Amino acid sequence: WAQQGTVTPEGPRPSHTYKVVLLGSMSVGKSSLAYRYVKNDFRELLPTVGCSFFTQILELDEATVKFEIWDTAGQEKYQSVCHLYYRDAHAALLVYDIANKQTFSRAKLWLEELEKKFLPDEIVIALVGNKTDLAAEREVTTEGEDFARTKGLLFMETSAKSNHQVNDVFMAVGELWHGSSPFIVTEMLLPASPACTTP
Amino acid sequence: MAADVHKKKSWEVPNGSLAPGDGQHAERSESPTPGLAQGTEPGAGQEGAMFVHTRSYEDLTSPEDGAAAARSPEERRGEPAEQSSMEQISKDFSELSTQLTGMALDLDEEMRAGKEGKLEPSPQTARRDSVLSGKEEEDVTMDAWRSHRKHVFVLSEAGKPVYSRYGSEEALSSTMGVMMALVSFLEAEKNAIRSIHADGYKVVFVRRSPLVLVAVARTRQSEQEIAHELLYIYYQILSLLTWTQLNHIFQQKQNYDLRRLLAGSERITDNLLDLMAHDPSFLMGAVRCLPLAASVRDAVSSSLQQAKAKSLVFSILLSGNQLVSLVRKKDQFLHPIDLHLLFNLISSSSSFREGEAWTPICLPKFNSSGFFHAHISYLEQEMDLCLLLVSTDREDFFTVSDCKRRFQERLRRRGVQHALHEALRTPFYSVAQVGIPDLRHFIYKSKSSGLFTSPEIEAPYVQEEEKERLLGLYQYLHSRAHNSSRPLKNIYFTGPRENLLAWVTNAFELYVCYSPLGTKAGAINAVNKLMKWIRKEEDRLFILTPQTY
Ligand SMILES: Nc1nc2c(ncn2[C@@H]2O[C@H](COP(=O)(O)OP(=O)(O)O)[C@@H](O)[C@H]2O)c(=O)[nH]1
Ligand SMILES: [Mg+2]
């Protein structure tokens, strides 16, 4: 991750950039999750064309964290292009729709794709079952969590519509990256380094 | 798979399509009167054009494009060759007026007879809903389905459904089969256009291997115009896939189901069909500019020009379907058709309103073999100003994103934001500004710049069907003026509801609608006055000083 030092009255204030990509089938709610997280709102969005890019800046006590969020269209014709966007990603949210079993199967395929591109500790992957507000139509039950456990993924269920655990997902991937990364050591050893590249 | 443009070294693409194909500007000086020499007409750019020079829609159907408009022998026989053109036109017009009225009556009847007691108010509502719910596809056996005025189907040469404007392609498979049989029956050569007329319907086929496009229309458009719309649909599909990829796919597998690749983009095609029914840009093969004081526009263009990057080819600022500014790489010309496709892409998705989009896009008239990468974003929330930065490098997102930031910073520094906001509050002007009492509406196109201007459509064309009727009249005038066998350069028609005039020269095209009370002498007088007004206002209505990086 990119790290920059900003000087504040209290001294240098580190700032971190996280690149997070949203992956998953069409209409599972990727754009809605991004929109909820960035704007804290939910509205009917028309399907994404290509990729969308959002930023969200968090002023935490100890640092400024900038989330760069890549939202992909999830359509086959864009796949050749979108793989570029998860290339340097710190975290990937693999989203499926809990009311649509097929989208869960697709999420597994996305994971295979990711595993080809990244070493296990290069990227934080979270499996996200969205649309929990549609509990009555639920098609994916414990499989989600089970699968996540066997694959060592972070797991969370969300609803962009009713704002259930959306913030938490983004915070969790941020923290997990921060905590598990050997990079944190490097960072402490090299506090003056203006911009460290991704491991 | 499709080669990215940026992969190609420099701009030498094999088919040479990066260079504007048809020797523009060559005929400028030798253009004869009447009227003005091309390049000196109102709206002509002072330093050359922004666009590839086109001859309106012939460019789409011209032989070098592989197509030849051909009419069925039946129809040709039915047309008395001796009849003078003016007589024919006047007959057509009275027919047209009544037919169009008749159409409204028919719809009324169907509305009463229809099972659910209503007809869709607008065709797009149906699809929008079906996209959102994913469930409510139209039942093809319903009366409503049959009553749509124009059906459009796209199928592969193997007869597989690719797109249908109304209702699911699946349910239409049998219909598609019949069409395929018809296509193979009708045509021997590739890239042909054929049509059948039956029972108040026109069925127009356009074959662009590996696709076949079919329209079943009850509109009064000529088959040339319907074919023109079908070609737009074809180019729309190319803009998503590239010609190279499309062909590659079908070479690999003849009965490939293209819907898989096009999933999620049907609404872009739907939107294009709706847009073509309302916006004269497509008919004129030209682009309309947002009326804007020249000083403001120049400041905007300079800001765009300065916010350049190596990989940028076009920087385009637009509002609705009107162009605010376009800056291009030197020696690279955009084709109006490609710009129309970009307009359509943007108006078809609200997703561009949030964040920054980065999407591969093929501009088929510019280069049908590769993708560009378009950075699309709105300048400010709740303001209808969309910035489109077209880059050759898919890796260049952050550089291009920074161009946007720099552009906005320059706009601020030049202090033109307020003026821009003001201009956006009145994106259309009233015909009353011209000061000709009998004048109701007009379309004026400068041929050398590829730009046109037209006032807001006002009373009595308030109702949607009245607006469409007016566009229908223009369509008719246009098709007569461009009829390949008997083009007419001057047409005047007096009707019960309006008088119309068309004047087509080498330099410009003008279509005027008057109240039915005026005289021919008055109309001609008014044209002179109108031309003077356009000349006076040209630096506000057109982009006279296009810029390059
Ligand atoms: N009920 C419900 N619907 C949702 C939720 N998130 C998204 N949607 C709907 O699902 C559809 C697809 O959402 P979108 O964000 O465009 O999905 P994307 O294609 O993955 O980006 C839209 O109609 C959304 O309104 C959710 O949490 N609950
Ligand atoms: Mg989306």
Side-chain angles (χ1 to χ4, degrees):
Chain A
W1 52 351
Q3 190 214 2
Q4 277 139 27
T6 324
V7 181
T8 64
E10 295 81 41
R13 182 176 158 77
S15 84
H16 309 301
T17 301
Y18 283 112
K19 177 171 171 181
V20 181
V21 291
L22 287 152
L23 303 172
S25 308
M26 226 164 86
S27 56
V28 294
K30 298 180 296 297
S31 302
S32 301
L33 284 169
Y35 194 65
R36 167 63 78 186
Y37 181 60
V38 174
K39 300 265 153 103
N40 194 19
D41 195 7
F42 179 82
R43 58 165 84 160
E44 268 316 317
L45 300 165
L46 282 169
T48 314
V49 176
C51 295
S52 297
F53 178 77
F54 302 88
T55 51
Q56 172 79 321
I57 294 171
L58 290 185
E59 296 292 345
L60 302 179
D61 285 345
E62 66 281 12
T64 302
V65 176
K66 182 174 163 200
F67 275 102
E68 288 183 358
I69 302 164
W70 283 98
D71 173 24
T72 56
Q75 293 160 26
E76 203 175 320
K77 67 172 169 292
Y78 294 124
Q79 265 180 34
S80 63
V81 191
C82 286
H83 78 263
L84 282 157
Y85 304 125
Y86 52 88
R87 197 178 46 199
D88 309 318
H90 300 106
L93 303 187
L94 278 185
V95 188
Y96 65 91
D97 174 354
I98 62 139
N100 181 340
K101 200 155 196 155
Q102 216 191 327
T103 65
F104 177 58
S105 314
R106 285 284 301 154
K108 292 182 185 173
L109 294 178
W110 279 105
L111 181 66
E112 284 173 22
E113 190 75 359
L114 279 175
E115 283 170 340
K116 278 186 230 156
K117 301 244 153 46
F118 290 90
L119 295 171
D121 59 350
E122 268 181 345
I123 187 166
V124 171
I125 302 171
L127 186 65
V128 179
N130 188 40
K131 308 199 187 179
T132 52
D133 57 294
L134 301 179
E137 295 157 50
R138 185 185 274 276
E139 286 182 6
V140 184
T141 53
T142 51
E143 306 97 291
E145 194 162 5
D146 294 345
F147 180 73
R149 194 176 311 117
T150 57
K151 291 285 182 180
L153 312 178
L154 202 73
F155 178 77
M156 212 168 267
E157 288 198 339
T158 58
S159 167
K161 192 173 184 173
S162 59
N163 195 13
H164 176 62
Q165 301 207 109
V166 178
N167 261 314
D168 310 49
V169 163
F170 284 91
M171 289 318 292
V173 292
E175 272 163 31
L176 198 63
W177 172 261
H178 204 269
S180 70
S181 165
F183 185 66
I184 189 108
V185 182
T186 328
E187 185 195 309
M188 282 184 220
L189 290 173
L190 299 165
S193 164
C196 299
T197 42
T198 318
Chain B
M1 281 290 152
D4 269 19
V5 171
H6 78 274
K7 278 197 198 138
K8 302 260 193 276
K9 248 187 142 182
S10 82
W11 288 95
E12 283 112 40
V13 173
N15 61 7
S17 57
L18 282 172
D22 43 1
Q24 75 252 49
H25 312 318
E27 68 264 52
R28 255 192 190 193
S29 47
E30 64 196 47
S31 85
T33 37
L36 304 137
Q38 193 174 44
T40 62
E41 78 276 12
Q46 284 161 8
E47 281 138 49
M50 291 181 287
F51 299 117
V52 173
H53 186 71
T54 63
R55 284 142 298 140
S56 176
Y57 76 30
E58 299 95 318
D59 195 57
L60 274 166
T61 46
S62 64
E64 72 257 39
D65 206 46
R71 294 199 267 169
S72 63
E74 283 79 4
E75 209 211 12
R76 220 172 269 153
R77 236 181 289 125
E79 213 171 353
E82 320 81 65
Q83 195 168 19
S84 89
S85 299
M86 272 335 273
E87 262 172 63
Q88 177 64 40
I89 285 183
S90 126
K91 189 166 144 279
D92 283 349
F93 258 118
S94 44
E95 217 175 277
L96 196 58
S97 304
T98 46
Q99 279 281 343
L100 289 168
T101 329
M103 189 67 78
L105 289 177
D106 286 353
L107 284 175
D108 267 357
E109 246 165 52
E110 274 168 39
M111 266 192 255
R112 261 177 266 119
K115 280 196 189 100
E116 302 182 348
K118 67 162 184 130
L119 203 82
E120 264 110 28
S122 79
Q124 69 260 45
T125 344
R127 172 71 83 164
R128 289 286 168 280
D129 291 343
S130 80
V131 165
L132 293 176
S133 68
K135 280 169 192 131
E136 292 162 45
E137 289 282 355
E138 277 189 61
D139 179 353
V140 293
T141 58
M142 261 171 44
D143 292 345
W145 188 84
R146 254 181 266 132
S147 73
H148 289 300
R149 286 183 65 193
K150 191 187 289 155
H151 286 273
V152 173
F153 310 96
V154 181
L155 43 161
S156 70
E157 281 175 323
K160 281 243 179 193
V162 171
Y163 169 82
S164 156
R165 187 179 191 183
Y166 306 108
S168 88
E169 297 87 351
E170 211 65 72
L172 287 166
S173 285
S174 56
T175 321
M176 297 261 184
V178 174
M179 283 181 189
M180 269 324 291
L182 275 172
V183 170
S184 47
F185 175 73
L186 277 167
E187 73 159 36
E189 80 223 79
K190 292 198 169 184
N191 294 338
I193 296 169
R194 290 284 183 277
S195 70
I196 312 171
H197 299 229
D199 207 17
Y201 285 87
K202 277 193 186 94
V203 185
V204 180
F205 299 87
V206 170
R207 181 165 170 189
R208 275 290 184 282
S209 188
L211 299 179
V212 177
L213 301 99
V214 187
V216 182
R218 292 199 312 170
T219 60
R220 293 282 304 173
Q221 286 168 292
S222 68
E223 62 264 41
Q224 260 184 22
E225 279 160 347
I226 296 169
H228 170 68
E229 294 190 355
L230 288 177
L231 284 166
Y232 258 105
I233 300 304
Y234 170 70
Y235 285 125
Q236 165 56 42
I237 292 171
L238 290 191
S239 81
L240 294 165
L241 300 173
T242 73
W243 183 87
T244 313
Q245 187 176 340
L246 181 68
N247 276 275
H248 181 80
I249 289 168
F250 282 100
Q251 269 159 23
Q252 298 294 304
K253 198 168 168 232
Q254 243 196 345
N255 63 347
Y256 183 83
D257 189 351
L258 198 61
R259 286 173 301 174
R260 262 180 49 200
L261 269 186
L262 294 176
S265 49
E266 299 88 348
R267 82 211 135 81
I268 303 177
T269 310
D270 294 347
N271 196 70
L272 179 58
L273 283 164
D274 295 338
L275 213 54
M276 286 193 289
H278 296 106
D279 186 337
S281 307
F282 298 88
L283 175 67
M284 304 308 298
V287 174
R288 192 186 334 206
C289 302
L290 178 82
L292 191 63
S295 59
V296 179
R297 199 186 314 269
D298 288 346
V300 172
S301 300
S302 304
S303 305
L304 267 186
Q305 196 265 342
Q306 286 165 344
K308 63 184 166 190
K310 231 173 134 191
S311 75
L312 279 189
V313 196
F314 300 111
S315 302
I316 304 163
L317 188 65
L318 46 103
S319 173
N321 287 331
Q322 303 197 97
L323 185 64
V324 180
S325 175
L326 188 159
V327 178
R328 59 186 174 79
K329 209 181 190 105
K330 226 183 160 91
D331 304 325
Q332 306 299 341
F333 295 88
L334 194 56
H335 194 289
I337 289 173
D338 288 337
L339 188 54
H340 290 155
L341 294 175
L342 290 170
F343 278 6
N344 177 59
L345 174 73
I346 287 161
S347 71
S348 66
S349 180
S350 65
S351 76
F352 298 121
R353 290 235 160 233
E354 310 302 334
E356 300 166 50
W358 184 240
T359 184
I361 178 132
C362 167
L363 300 176
K365 291 300 262 182
F366 190 87
N367 176 357
S368 63
S369 64
F371 279 119
F372 285 105
H373 290 265
H375 181 279
I376 306 170
S377 63
Y378 280 79
L379 284 197
E380 276 169 51
Q381 213 85 48
E382 317 307 333
M383 197 167 79
D384 197 5
L385 260 187
C386 184
L387 179 66
L388 231 152
L389 301 169
V390 181
S391 159
T392 51
D393 187 352
R394 65 181 179 188
E395 309 282 334
D396 232 12
F397 173 83
F398 287 102
T399 314
V400 175
S401 174
D402 196 52
C403 290
K404 178 198 175 179
R405 190 192 54 72
R406 279 157 51 207
F407 168 61
Q408 285 186 292
E409 202 177 286
R410 287 187 203 263
L411 266 193
R412 256 192 306 277
R413 270 200 257 141
R414 287 171 188 267
V416 288
Q417 273 180 319
H418 180 70
L420 205 48
H421 279 233
E422 277 305 300
L424 287 174
R425 292 201 313 154
T426 49
F428 300 98
Y429 58 94
S430 166
V431 72
Q433 288 186 19
V434 186
I436 301 173
D438 276 336
L439 182 66
R440 281 185 180 171
H441 190 257
F442 66 90
I443 298 177
Y444 168 86
K445 171 186 169 181
S446 146
K447 282 192 178 175
S448 60
S449 67
L451 299 170
F452 78 99
T453 188
S454 186
E456 190 162 23
I457 298 179
E458 290 166 279
Y461 310 98
V462 182
Q463 308 272 322
E464 215 37 62
E465 62 261 34
E466 276 296 301
K467 285 185 182 161
E468 274 184 41
R469 193 177 69 84
L470 179 62
L471 188 63
L473 292 168
Y474 284 141
Q475 271 168 348
Y476 181 77
L477 285 173
H478 184 275
S479 75
R480 290 308 312 213
H482 294 84
N483 184 308
S484 46
S485 52
R486 270 178 299 155
L488 286 161
K489 299 304 171 197
N490 295 290
I491 303 170
Y492 181 69
F493 169 73
T494 45
R497 301 215 242 163
E498 57 270 297
N499 296 344
L500 293 150
L501 179 144
W503 185 17
V504 174
T505 75
N506 270 11
F508 64 85
E509 294 183 24
L510 180 65
Y511 304 89
V512 191
C513 173
Y514 304 94
S515 90
L517 303 170
T519 62
K520 187 172 178 178
I524 289 164
N525 222 341
V527 162
N528 288 323
K529 212 172 155 191
L530 175 59
M531 291 293 282
K532 280 202 189 101
W533 182 84
I534 295 171
R535 172 66 87 192
K536 185 164 71 70
E537 298 289 324
E538 67 175 340
D539 63 352
R540 186 172 66 94
L541 304 178
F542 295 91
I543 299 177
L544 299 182
T545 49
Q547 301 203 21
T548 55
Y549 305 124

